[in-house]
Amino acid sequence: MDKLNYATLEKVNYDGYILKDAPEKVLQFGEGNFLRAFVDYFFDVMNEKTGFNGKVVITQPIGGGMASVINEQEGLYTLFLRGSENGQKVNKKRVISTISRCLNPYENYESLMECASNKSLRFIVSNTTEAGITYDPSCQKDDAPPASFPAKLTAFLYRRYQNKLPGFIILSCELIDHNGDELRKCVHQYIDQWQLGSDFRLWVDSENIFCSTLVDRIVPGYPRNEVDAICEELGYKDNLIDTGEVFGFWVIEGPDSIKRELPFEKAGLPIIVVDDVTPYKQRKVRILNGAHTSFIMAAYLAGKDIVRDCMKDEVIHGFMNKTIYDEVIPTLDLPKDNLMQFASDVTERFANPFVDHQLLSISLNSTSKWKARCMPSLLEFAKRNNGALAKCLTFSFAAYIDFYHRGVEQGEHCLIAKRGDNTYEIHDDQWVLDFFYDHKDDDDAAITKAVVNNEKMWDNSLSSLEGFEDAVAGYLALIHEKGMYEAMKEIQK
């Protein structure tokens, strides 16, 4: 079977959109599944729909990367966007032709730096993981290349400045708050450390736009278990097949002028440019992530294993809906129709027939997740309702305690707990695991008191919420009296 490249596409009579030759307009730090199923897909559609006519040149952010595989396929790969739309199963296929090549700066650093002289280059995109945007003082100006992504970027910007060319629109896609701002701070630190001068610093700040962005698409990536059958159907060997969910949404924080240079709207893509990404970040964390964290531990103890099956269960799905629509959405400030549509999309995403999203995998580090994703909605609900408790969120906290309090044996960096005749592992920070193990013999009232009043877990936010401790203890007793499933049904009456 022939490997995917432009000649192979002609052989198999591929009739989809393909762009073979175009100037490189985008430099991308990162070649992983997410960027290829999200950013590169969007640029590919923009090329087709708007005549953007731009290629993406990729550079590996670390030594062990995929440059050779990408270049062997001339930057081409097949993307499948799969999921559910309007209740219908969807499986869309597209060959992505927006990538020109992939550079390995660890083998040829100058190949990256030469891109700084390209007058067509206007955009820089990155996704170097949450740990990627960090300042590493060990990085030196003459390193070839410097180890950290911000150091590489600083060196690249300095070469651009020396070439007396315009700066860039920089789109950070790492999953940290204020990613663009944090990246700029790191660049400033290297400017100071490397003594690159005030004129360069002024050029960085005046000629470049560092955009914080919010990205949203689940990307399962390479379909290892299906790849042989898929390639047989495609008629070619593709070592870069990528899969993502149908839903996608990109929020870019920056000036309106970005819209003129990136015609996303004209292409009909789900991308918006806003003054402040915060409300959209809050919407995603509280509705999408908050929904996950609020029901998955209860659902697991009620006998479910994957998210999709929960959406088919009237009681569990009903619990999630009451949490989102009655308790979370009323605490958010975006227009209600916007929030309602996002919540509706969440339900379809959770029901994705192509993704077996394990409840136990979502349960990892649930203590910090509950604090970040659910606690703000609980507190804001009380604030807006004269101190009233959000019933489902309060119950979800009781389910969290029950999930962890079943951990009566210590494993290797985990607690071993029981669901019926089976065991499961609880993974969290070691101090959290130690805390629950130390309280394994507490009764309902004692464990509730200990957890609610643990300031290291929640500051003092939960202990100061009137009536919360008693309500949680009551729900914990209800769970132990009727079982988790019947208790979830009971509180929805």
Side-chain angles (χ1 to χ4, degrees):
M1 190 178 292
D2 292 332
K3 188 174 292 182
L4 175 61
N5 55 35
Y6 286 101
T8 298
L9 287 182
E10 289 185 17
K11 250 191 220 183
V12 299
N13 297 315
Y14 179 73
D15 60 358
Y17 171 79
I18 289 294
L19 177 66
K20 189 170 184 180
D21 298 306
E24 292 174 344
K25 294 184 178 181
V26 185
L27 173 64
Q28 178 173 297
F29 285 84
E31 77 281 44
N33 292 322
F34 177 79
L35 283 175
R36 291 190 294 109
F38 190 76
V39 171
D40 298 327
Y41 163 77
F42 287 145
F43 276 106
D44 199 63
V45 173
M46 197 164 59
N47 280 331
E48 178 185 13
K49 303 290 187 183
T50 73
F52 177 74
N53 196 42
K55 287 278 194 173
V56 177
V57 53
I58 297 177
T59 183
Q60 292 181 189
I62 58 175
M66 299 168 59
S68 59
V69 180
I70 291 172
N71 292 330
E72 283 172 6
Q73 296 190 183
E74 298 181 296
L76 297 172
Y77 60 96
T78 314
L79 173 66
F80 292 87
L81 296 181
R82 315 196 289 189
S84 178
E85 281 185 328
N86 301 317
Q88 300 298 311
K89 190 174 180 179
V90 174
N91 188 7
K92 301 176 182 178
K93 178 189 74 175
R94 182 185 181 97
V95 173
I96 305 299
S97 60
T98 195
I99 293 171
S100 59
R101 56 193 172 129
C102 185
L103 310 174
N104 183 350
Y106 294 86
E107 293 181 354
N108 185 354
Y109 181 50
E110 190 57 29
S111 67
L112 167 60
M113 300 305 283
E114 284 172 355
C115 294
S117 63
N118 176 6
K119 294 179 181 179
S120 298
L121 201 66
R122 176 58 175 147
F123 309 97
I124 295 177
V125 180
S126 68
N127 186 10
T128 55
T129 78
E130 294 91 320
I133 300 182
T134 53
Y135 169 65
D136 178 358
S138 70
C139 294
Q140 302 301 314
K141 176 185 174 183
D142 296 328
D143 291 346
S148 80
F149 158 55
K152 290 186 188 72
L153 178 62
T154 305
F156 186 82
L157 292 176
Y158 191 61
R159 177 73 70 91
R160 183 74 164 189
Y161 165 75
Q162 291 176 313
N163 289 337
K164 295 182 170 55
L165 290 174
F168 303 99
I169 294 172
I170 301 169
L171 304 165
S172 302
C173 299
E174 287 81 3
L175 297 179
I176 62 170
D177 290 339
H178 311 294
N179 38 30
D181 295 333
E182 292 302 316
L183 180 57
R184 180 174 50 228
K185 286 178 189 175
C186 291
V187 169
H188 282 173
Q189 288 175 293
Y190 286 117
I191 292 173
D192 293 340
Q193 178 185 330
W194 298 346
Q195 299 180 357
L196 298 178
S198 58
D199 288 346
F200 173 57
R201 187 186 186 102
L202 179 63
W203 180 88
V204 166
D205 290 342
S206 61
E207 287 287 325
N208 299 272
I209 303 172
F210 287 79
C211 299
S212 292
T213 84
L214 170 69
V215 297
D216 191 2
R217 168 167 278 164
I218 297 170
V219 177
Y222 187 70
R224 193 170 306 279
N225 296 332
E226 308 170 62
V227 70
D228 290 341
I230 289 174
C231 288
E232 190 67 35
E233 184 178 337
L234 293 173
Y236 54 76
K237 179 67 176 175
D238 184 351
N239 292 317
L240 293 168
I241 293 173
D242 203 358
T243 63
E245 65 171 335
V246 177
F247 180 92
F249 189 55
W250 195 6
V251 185
I252 299 170
E253 185 177 287
D256 271 357
S257 60
I258 293 174
K259 296 178 184 177
R260 293 194 294 272
E261 297 198 60
L262 290 173
F264 292 133
E265 290 181 356
K266 185 178 176 183
L269 291 167
I271 303 169
I272 60 173
V273 178
V274 298
D275 293 330
D276 183 8
V277 76
T278 305
Y280 296 92
K281 170 84 172 177
Q282 194 177 72
R283 181 186 73 172
K284 176 179 182 284
V285 170
R286 295 199 193 177
I287 296 180
L288 174 68
N289 305 123
H292 262 159
T293 300
S294 67
F295 82 79
I296 58 101
M297 286 173 282
Y300 181 78
L301 295 179
K304 301 298 181 184
D305 293 306
I306 63 174
V307 172
R308 182 176 62 251
D309 289 345
C310 296
M311 296 302 98
K312 299 174 184 176
D313 188 284
E314 184 178 348
V315 171
I316 297 173
H317 193 172
F319 176 85
M320 186 191 82
N321 281 345
K322 283 185 70 67
T323 304
I324 293 174
Y325 291 102
D326 295 354
E327 300 179 0
V328 177
I329 286 178
T331 70
L332 299 172
D333 294 323
L334 283 171
K336 188 173 181 181
D337 59 344
N338 177 300
L339 298 169
M340 297 289 279
Q341 181 59 54
F342 186 78
S344 175
D345 290 338
V346 163
T347 297
E348 283 212 313
R349 296 171 74 181
F350 286 177
N352 192 327
F354 294 96
V355 178
D356 292 338
H357 207 165
Q358 299 291 324
L359 300 181
L360 283 181
S361 69
I362 304 171
S363 77
L364 302 179
N365 300 302
S366 280
T367 304
S368 59
K369 285 178 179 176
W370 205 95
K371 181 180 181 180
R373 300 172 173 186
C374 300
M375 192 171 79
S377 297
L378 176 79
L379 299 177
E380 188 63 25
F381 185 92
K383 181 179 175 182
R384 297 189 183 196
N385 292 277
N386 299 314
L389 294 176
K391 191 175 183 181
C392 291
L393 287 169
T394 303
F395 181 88
S396 82
F397 190 80
Y400 153 76
I401 293 177
D402 191 37
F403 183 88
Y404 274 64
H405 197 223
R406 297 185 184 207
V408 296
E409 293 181 30
Q410 288 181 312
E412 187 174 354
H413 308 300
C414 68
L415 291 180
I416 308 297
K418 294 200 77 172
R419 182 185 71 172
D421 295 330
N422 300 315
T423 61
Y424 63 92
E425 293 183 358
I426 302 167
H427 292 269
D428 210 315
D429 292 329
Q430 190 60 50
W431 66 267
V432 173
L433 301 177
D434 292 342
F435 168 85
F436 276 99
Y437 186 76
D438 290 343
H439 289 270
K440 67 181 186 300
D441 297 322
D442 287 4
D443 62 19
D444 291 346
I447 187 60
T448 301
K449 187 176 190 65
V451 175
V452 170
N453 289 279
N454 189 319
E455 289 193 18
K456 189 172 182 180
M457 289 179 175
W458 327 105
D459 305 319
N460 66 347
S461 299
L462 298 183
S463 59
S464 61
L465 190 59
E466 188 175 352
F468 182 70
E469 183 182 324
D470 289 341
V472 171
Y475 286 142
L476 204 51
L478 178 66
I479 291 167
H480 293 153
E481 176 192 349
K482 295 196 170 186
M484 183 63 75
Y485 190 79
E486 290 301 318
M488 292 180 82
K489 185 187 295 186
E490 179 79 18
I491 69 157
Q492 294 179 58
K493 292 179 180 177

